[in-house]
Amino acid sequence: MFGFNYYTPTKVVFGKNTESQVADLIKEFGGTKVLIHYGGGSVVRSGLLSRVTDSLDAAGIPYVTLGGAVPNPHLGLVYEGIELCKKEGVDFLLGVGGGSAIDSAKAIGYGVANEGDVWDFYDYKRKATGCLPLGVILTIAATGSEMSDSSVITKEEGLVKRGYSSDYSRPRFAIMNPELTMTLPDYQTACGCTDIMMHTMERYFTQGGNMEITDALAEGLLRTVKKNAVILRDDPKNYDARAEVMWAGSLAHNGLTGCGNDGGDWMTHKLEHELGGLYDVAHGAGLAAVWGSWARYVYKDCLPRFKKFAINVMDVADEGTDEEIALRGIEAMEDFYRSINMPTNLRELGVNATEEDLVEMARKCAIGVGGEKGSAKVLDEAAMLAIYRASM
Ligand code: NZQ
Ligand code: ZN
């Protein structure tokens, strides 16, 4: 077991109608002029945005709005947001939407609080020394950005998708009303469940010392999301299932399931980020499409964890060799993905990549991780290419 820092400063306000508390929360955290940042319009159509602006109007809190954060959010809009905040004297950011709107807001926050080009942080050239304070109203359970230190931005030029993490960007508050997720398309609900499980699995399949308590939390979280994803497939308006998944999404990526281990593997995410950058696929679906190939490539090097996962999460019988049990666990996970209409390879994802595309993605992925990365098994560029090829 390794030592760890566990830092979760976000005040979570969870339950029905909690968005009505937004003005009080902004005041509590010192906001006097707000940028409300959102995505492509779902929050306009659902009426959430006008409820939020009505609340701020009633509380006398001035604000400006900026919509248009796309899935795999773009750097161009981040620059626009930074200029707007500087011009308007904004001192608090409110991200309303999913991971894309929240991540875009975090990047705007870095850009306002630091001199120079904000992309430098995502390009690993230097580190941020601050971020504008941020609150969020979450509309999709998926990335965990509502409590995480991460944000992921795509630079349009060269389609480079990169993440940057620092505690400065952890939201001050997160409003989570599971009812707000009921307008999601089924595909996005399933993508979200996949991402939540993946954030836990990235931290589970490691070589680093593990804690029994962390494993129990991780396995319980995985079983809960697996069960409730199927409930939501059949009954999308089920409040309790929405709530289970929403809270799981935050716990999966606020560091809880990483306590005591070596920080995680993260190669499935890195492989997906190239797909998201190049083909603009939904993040969760991209993860499902490469996970099986990744798992088959690495499982022999991390056999005890894959065996434990098969038995404790996927309900595989403890019969046969360790390798057989591990492989049955991987197959069961892929069956689960299929059961919620997630892809298990690139073709099912709708990506018809050429060999040249695969080589290019492996090249960019290797650059993005500084040469090699992984914990279950350390992967270099050749290994990344082999996994992309196997996922075709
Ligand atoms: O843009 P709008 O119109 O709001 O529509 C969105 C978008 O089309 C829609 N949506 C969201 N809530 C809705 C809704 N539609 C109807 N009703 C609602 N209640 O769903 C679509 C997806 O939204 P998006 O914000 O892109 O999804 P997600 O939360 O999955 O975010 C994905 C992005 O986050 C990054 C991903 O790489 C990707 O760029 N990640 C961020 C992380 C972090 N910050 O910690 C970690 C993750 O691993 C991930 O990499
Ligand atoms: Zn993710």
Side-chain angles (χ1 to χ4, degrees):
M1 179 203 151
F2 295 100
F4 56 86
N5 290 344
Y6 180 57
Y7 179 62
T8 53
T10 306
K11 177 169 180 171
V12 173
V13 183
F14 194 102
K16 292 180 183 177
N17 201 32
T18 41
E19 63 275 17
S20 65
Q21 298 175 43
V22 65
D24 288 344
L25 285 162
I26 290 170
K27 280 187 180 164
E28 183 180 331
F29 289 95
T32 63
K33 178 85 185 262
V34 179
L35 171 72
I36 303 174
H37 191 43
Y38 58 96
S42 72
V43 301
V44 178
R45 290 189 295 279
S46 68
L48 174 62
L49 185 66
S50 54
R51 291 209 299 285
V52 170
T53 53
D54 287 352
S55 296
L56 268 59
D57 286 335
I61 301 174
Y63 58 85
V64 287
T65 61
L66 178 67
V70 291
N72 304 311
H74 288 171
L75 182 61
L77 189 70
V78 171
Y79 289 143
E80 207 180 305
I82 295 167
E83 286 312 308
L84 183 61
C85 287
K86 286 182 176 168
K87 183 168 141 255
E88 296 285 340
V90 165
D91 61 11
F92 197 90
L93 298 166
L94 181 68
V96 185
S100 296
I102 298 169
D103 285 5
S104 186
K106 288 179 175 178
I108 292 170
Y110 285 131
V112 176
N114 297 272
E115 295 296 323
D117 187 352
V118 71
W119 183 252
D120 288 352
F121 307 129
Y122 296 84
D123 212 14
Y124 317 125
K125 287 194 176 130
R126 60 196 175 102
K127 291 196 164 152
T129 54
C131 183
L132 268 196
L134 167 89
V136 310
I137 302 179
L138 188 66
T139 64
I140 169 172
T143 64
S145 188
E146 67 276 8
M147 286 182 89
S148 84
D149 64 352
S150 318
S151 57
V152 188
I153 299 294
T154 297
K155 185 180 187 176
E156 297 89 323
E157 186 193 338
L159 296 174
V160 186
K161 182 173 173 177
R162 292 272 172 80
Y164 180 66
S165 302
S166 90
D167 282 334
Y168 297 120
S169 74
R170 289 192 194 264
R172 300 293 204 273
F173 67 79
I175 292 175
M176 289 187 236
N177 174 357
E179 284 184 325
L180 295 178
T181 67
M182 288 183 186
T183 51
L184 277 168
D186 294 342
Y187 183 72
Q188 289 295 341
T189 299
C191 283
C193 291
T194 303
D195 193 20
I196 293 166
M197 294 180 78
M198 208 55 244
H199 291 156
T200 312
M201 288 152 66
E202 296 279 20
R203 294 171 169 93
Y204 187 89
F205 293 112
T206 65
Q207 302 286 356
N210 297 95
M211 290 182 82
E212 196 178 320
I213 178 69
T214 299
D215 281 353
L217 288 165
E219 289 166 2
L221 194 154
L222 289 168
R223 283 195 302 269
T224 302
V225 178
K226 183 160 84 74
K227 175 181 156 190
N228 285 284
V230 174
I231 294 175
L232 289 176
R233 177 196 65 193
D234 300 333
D235 182 13
K237 303 277 184 206
N238 187 310
Y239 179 86
D240 289 344
R242 289 277 175 199
E244 298 282 358
V245 168
M246 195 172 219
W247 187 222
S250 303
L251 298 183
H253 205 35
N254 74 359
L256 183 65
T257 60
C259 295
N261 70 33
D262 68 356
D265 184 90
W266 297 106
M267 270 314 301
T268 308
H269 265 75
K270 296 299 176 191
L271 291 163
E272 189 288 325
H273 280 179
E274 298 310 322
L275 290 168
L278 197 56
Y279 300 102
D280 209 17
V281 297
H283 173 60
L287 292 170
V290 290
W291 184 79
S293 303
W294 169 84
R296 287 191 176 81
Y297 194 87
V298 308
Y299 78 97
K300 286 184 190 163
D301 291 67
C302 195
L303 205 48
R305 305 295 293 166
F306 274 90
K307 180 183 176 189
K308 191 169 153 65
F309 170 80
I311 294 168
N312 291 353
V313 179
M314 302 314 296
D315 296 323
V316 167
D318 189 0
E319 290 164 5
T321 66
D322 288 357
E323 278 198 23
E324 285 165 354
I325 294 168
L327 276 173
R328 288 207 300 278
I330 295 169
E331 282 159 18
M333 189 68 198
E334 289 178 318
D335 286 344
F336 164 73
Y337 286 146
R338 287 186 203 99
S339 79
I340 58 167
N341 302 310
M342 283 287 100
T344 54
N345 57 51
L346 294 191
R347 286 185 201 288
E348 287 171 16
L349 181 64
V351 166
N352 278 315
T354 63
E355 173 67 11
E356 277 175 4
D357 294 336
L358 302 181
V359 168
E360 177 62 4
M361 283 196 293
R363 190 186 69 80
K364 280 165 77 178
C365 191
I367 292 171
V369 300
E372 57 180 28
K373 188 176 173 64
S375 173
K377 181 181 176 79
V378 176
L379 305 181
D380 59 12
E381 186 175 330
M384 296 170 199
L385 181 56
I387 292 170
Y388 280 133
R389 281 184 181 140
S391 66
M392 279 305 294

